[in-house]
Amino acid sequence: MNGCDEEILHKARIKAALESMPTDDGIEEMCARFKAISEPSRLKILLALEGGELCVDHIVEAVGGNQSAVSHQLKTLKDNKIVKCRRAGKKILYSVSDGHVMAMIELSKEHLNCNE
């Protein structure tokens, strides 16, 4: 491939990148979600919720820590639209609201065993 062909190819790649690039607001939202799931205790909570909804007491049991800390982390996940909650009698049950986030986490878990 000569220099002219490479220039044309690179211009096409730049155009494709620009066309598929989210807005600045979209980028900010993506970064906020990555930041939310990158904290270890929040990631543990999401892994605990992978099997289905749980109340705070059961999340605490699954991930360790204390109720106050888990509640604080759940609020962060809820604020970032990663988890949702519903009332069932006196209990509030939490579940994953964004399956795409769980797909990323699953892919990351698979990568733990990758020897590349």
Side-chain angles (χ1 to χ4, degrees), residues 25-92:
D25 288 344
I27 294 287
E28 288 295 324
E29 187 174 334
M30 291 169 66
C31 289
R33 288 194 180 171
F34 277 117
K35 184 177 178 182
I37 65 173
S38 69
E39 198 281 325
S41 60
R42 290 192 287 264
L43 182 56
K44 283 183 178 181
I45 290 169
L46 290 169
L47 290 167
L49 292 173
E50 187 174 29
E53 63 185 9
L54 294 170
C55 68
V56 173
D57 293 337
H58 294 148
I59 295 170
V60 169
E61 191 175 330
V63 303
N66 62 57
Q67 189 271 335
S68 176
V70 168
S71 292
H72 176 75
Q73 300 300 355
L74 282 166
K75 181 183 181 331
T76 299
L77 291 168
K78 189 175 173 193
D79 289 349
N80 282 282
K81 301 173 186 158
I82 297 169
V83 299
K84 60 185 176 182
C85 63
R86 70 176 182 89
R87 184 171 290 281
K90 293 183 179 184
K91 297 232 182 238
I92 296 178

